[in-house]
């Protein structure tokens, strides 16, 4: 008997027909002999609808009360799904987060799970029930209802998998896995059979919005194997696990991109200690996150400094930078919010040189100018002009032959 935790997102439970289809699926697994815990989201659009209601009354609703409100979306789905399962002759039990003791901290609207008491669920499973748990919610030590942040049902599912010591956490969604890049941009994009947590984190934070980032972090920390699957089509999906020593790895796993950033440059600042702090300190004080930072080599006692921020923060950052420029006696401030960032990601990069040069050569052949570059151990990112985004992603996808099933090379070579 295997114990599986399956999570169904908002679109998967978006209508009664879909809820009934999920009940069919769960019942079929149960009849095959598996033990099942289903974690569900609110029906699609429901969380947004509830949020809008609160905001019609108050522009900044009390976070505690917002959690009481938002958690009801999932409560509707667990009951409907349990009713649908019982209609098929299999006993089911639905539970809200607090009823199965999902204990969180008290950070309303973005709470973190601290502890889960799996006993109640184990008791139900022993009695042959399918257990249906509301995602996205828990309660703090005083019993206040909390929610885990948008997309938080993924985290509930991962945390339950860890607490129940279940074999795998299966995330059913409206796509059939994680792709080499966005298929809307590159039709040849391919579903990845497997991926490491690290790669998924890089791809997720860069725009492949398949899983809540926190859920992947949690899975990585607790070594929970995660599988992304389609609710609507059959298939193996994408399995996300730790990197295994000597595991066969493709060089590059995927290409992520976004147009969420803007670039700011300050020219002709004095090249002396404390300047970076003078420029970036006020930006951080304004709660503006900075992504890439580049400082030029100094010449004649001055240097140039470039950094990127989220596009929403662009005008604010520009204003701050203009102020710093006048105190520092800088020559000029420039800004550009028509930029795009493309990143190639792969753990295979660790053991193989030449990825960067392939990337730069490919972009050069397309006549695409690279404005800034940044790298990590498993990622190379470039900023280019926004209008070349799709061309760049397509060219790189084909240069790294991502449309082909990986000719796997051993990273232990
Ligand atoms: N219903 C919540 C949301 O829409 C949580 C989730 O679906 O994971 O963000
Ligand atoms: Mg989701």
């Amino acid at each position: 008997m295997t114990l599986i935790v399956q999570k169904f997102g908002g679109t998967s439970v978006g209508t009664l027909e879909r809820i009934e289809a999920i009940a069919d699926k769960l019942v079929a697994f149960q009849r095959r002999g598996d033990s099942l815990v289903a974690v569900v989201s609110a029906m699609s659009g429901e969380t947004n609808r509830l949020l809008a209601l609160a905001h019609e009354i108050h522009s900044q609703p009390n976070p505690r009360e917002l959690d009481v409100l938002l958690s009801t979306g999932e409560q509707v789905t667990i009951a409907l799904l349990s009713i649908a399962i019982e209609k098929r002759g299999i006993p089911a039990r639905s539970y809200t987060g607090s009823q199965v003791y999902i204990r969180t901290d008290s950070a309303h609207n973005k709470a973190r799970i601290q502890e889960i008491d799996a006993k109640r669920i184990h008791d139900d499973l022993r009695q042959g029930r399918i257990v249906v748990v509301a995602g996205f919610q828990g309660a703090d030590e005083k019993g206040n209802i909390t929610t885990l942040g948008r997309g938080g049902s993924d985290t509930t599912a991962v945390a339950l998998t860890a607490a129940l010591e279940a074999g795998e956490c299966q995330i059913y969604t409206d796509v059939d896995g994680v792709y080499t890049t966005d298929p809307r941009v590159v039709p040849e994009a391919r579903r990845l059979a497997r991926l490491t947590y690290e790669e998924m984190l890089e791809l997720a934070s860069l725009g492949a919005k398949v899983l809540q980032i926190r859920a992947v972090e949690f899975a990585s920390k607790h070594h929970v194997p995660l599988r992304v699957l389609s609710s609507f089509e059959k298939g193996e999906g994408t399995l996300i696990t730790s990197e295994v020593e000597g595991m066969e790895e493709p060089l590059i796993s995927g290409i992520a991109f976004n147009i969420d950033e803007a670039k700011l440059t300050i020219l002709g600042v004095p090249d002396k200690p404390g300047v970076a702090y003078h420029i970036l300190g006020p930006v951080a004080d304004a709660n503006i996150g900075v992504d890439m930072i580049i400082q030029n080599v100094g010449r004649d006692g001055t240097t140039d400094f470039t950094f990127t921020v989220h596009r929403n923060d662009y005008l604010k950052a520009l204003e701050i930078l203009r102020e710093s420029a006048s105190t520092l006696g800088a020559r000029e401030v420039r800004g550009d919010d028509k930029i795009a960032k493309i990143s190639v990601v792969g753990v295979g990069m660790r053991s193989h040189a030449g990825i960067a040069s392939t990337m730069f050569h490919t972009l050069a052949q397309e006549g695409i100018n690279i404005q800034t570059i940044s790298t990590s151990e498993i990622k190379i990112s470039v900023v280019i002009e926004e209008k070349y985004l799709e061309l760049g992603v397509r060219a790189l996808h084909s240069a790294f032959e991502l449309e082909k099933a990986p000719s796997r090379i051993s990273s232990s070579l």
Side-chain angles (χ1 to χ4, degrees):
M1 187 182 81
T2 19
L3 171 54
I4 316 171
V5 175
Q6 301 188 326
K7 181 254 169 180
F8 300 94
T11 28
S12 309
V13 293
T15 62
L16 291 184
E17 293 72 46
R18 287 184 175 176
I19 289 176
E20 297 235 31
I22 297 211
D24 281 336
K25 199 197 281 281
L26 290 166
V27 165
F29 275 113
Q30 163 97 356
R31 294 222 158 98
R32 214 181 61 185
D34 292 335
S35 277
L36 291 163
V37 175
V39 174
V40 290
S41 289
M43 294 170 80
S44 56
E46 182 60 12
T47 308
N48 288 338
R49 189 185 71 86
L50 295 168
L51 259 178
L53 287 180
H55 283 102
E56 267 183 51
I57 298 180
H58 198 301
S59 62
Q60 281 174 308
N62 179 319
R64 180 191 183 279
E65 303 314 324
L66 203 53
D67 277 350
V68 174
L69 178 68
L70 294 187
S71 65
T72 63
E74 273 70 12
Q75 190 168 339
V76 170
T77 331
I78 53 170
L80 292 174
L81 182 56
S82 300
I83 292 167
I85 294 168
E86 296 224 307
K87 178 167 124 181
R88 287 157 176 77
I90 299 283
R93 273 278 169 93
S94 67
Y95 292 109
T96 63
S98 66
Q99 286 177 319
V100 282
Y101 312 109
I102 297 181
R103 169 104 86 68
T104 70
D105 59 21
S106 302
H108 286 290
N109 313 160
K110 50 176 187 304
R112 283 184 185 269
I113 296 177
Q114 291 176 329
E115 212 181 303
I116 297 181
D117 179 359
K119 186 175 169 304
R120 189 166 193 178
I121 296 179
H122 276 306
D123 287 347
D124 281 313
L125 292 172
R126 260 194 299 277
Q127 293 176 51
R129 296 186 178 121
I130 293 179
V131 177
V132 183
V133 180
F136 177 56
Q137 56 180 268
D140 70 6
E141 59 180 359
K142 296 214 171 90
N144 296 301
I145 294 174
T146 54
T147 65
L148 310 178
R150 299 307 303 268
S153 298
D154 292 345
T155 303
T156 304
V158 171
L160 275 174
T161 310
L164 292 162
E165 298 177 15
E168 194 172 282
C169 180
Q170 303 182 340
I171 307 276
Y172 284 89
T173 177
D174 47 3
V175 293
D176 67 348
V178 181
Y179 276 66
T180 50
T181 196
D182 188 338
R184 284 169 301 189
V185 172
V186 184
E188 298 78 25
R190 196 173 39 80
R191 179 179 55 81
L192 292 157
R194 61 186 304 165
L195 205 58
T196 67
Y197 298 121
E198 268 180 298
E199 288 171 317
M200 188 63 229
L201 286 171
E202 294 287 7
L203 293 171
S205 61
L206 295 165
K209 298 173 186 71
V210 196
L211 287 169
Q212 198 203 28
I213 290 176
R214 243 190 214 185
V216 182
E217 283 166 356
F218 201 109
S220 168
K221 195 163 153 211
H222 298 272
H223 303 285
V224 173
L226 256 179
R227 193 184 288 277
V228 178
L229 299 148
S230 163
S231 298
F232 310 114
E233 290 162 38
K234 281 203 156 52
E236 297 292 297
T238 300
L239 178 66
I240 304 158
T241 57
S242 309
E243 188 179 350
V244 181
E245 191 70 41
M247 186 166 92
E248 305 264 308
E249 285 295 346
L251 229 37
I252 297 298
S253 290
I255 301 177
F257 54 84
N258 70 48
I259 51 166
D260 297 341
E261 291 182 37
K263 186 181 73 169
L264 297 108
T265 302
I266 181 165
L267 296 143
V269 288
D271 190 15
K272 61 175 196 212
V275 167
Y277 173 68
H278 263 98
I279 295 168
L280 294 173
V283 177
D285 291 344
N287 240 326
I288 298 175
V290 170
D291 181 27
M292 296 180 168
I293 305 173
I294 298 110
Q295 188 189 331
N296 269 357
V297 175
R299 247 185 70 215
D300 308 326
T302 67
T303 187
D304 309 330
F305 209 89
T306 297
F307 59 96
T308 64
V309 297
H310 195 279
R311 239 180 235 196
N312 295 344
D313 295 325
Y314 174 58
L315 293 177
K316 181 91 191 118
L318 200 56
E319 197 183 303
I320 293 169
L321 197 58
R322 290 211 170 103
E323 273 169 37
S324 312
S326 68
T327 39
L328 286 167
R331 196 171 68 241
E332 196 187 334
V333 167
R334 286 186 199 156
D336 184 358
D337 65 350
K338 296 280 177 296
I339 59 165
K341 183 165 88 173
I342 305 181
S343 307
V344 300
V345 173
V347 287
M349 236 180 250
R350 284 208 183 99
S351 44
H352 291 269
I355 308 288
S357 73
T358 304
M359 183 175 191
F360 304 154
H361 183 232
T362 305
L363 294 172
Q365 275 181 323
E366 299 295 336
I368 301 174
N369 186 39
I370 299 171
Q371 302 180 3
T372 68
I373 302 167
S374 70
T375 64
S376 78
E377 230 191 327
I378 66 160
K379 176 183 81 174
I380 304 168
S381 304
V382 297
V383 164
I384 61 168
E385 212 180 318
E386 183 184 320
K387 69 178 183 199
Y388 295 122
L389 174 63
E390 300 202 350
L391 176 64
V393 173
R394 282 193 203 112
L396 290 168
H397 199 273
S398 100
F400 288 110
E401 302 189 333
L402 292 180
E403 71 285 356
K404 293 187 194 156
S407 56
R408 292 191 166 248
I409 45 122
S410 169
S411 56
S412 58
L413 279 181

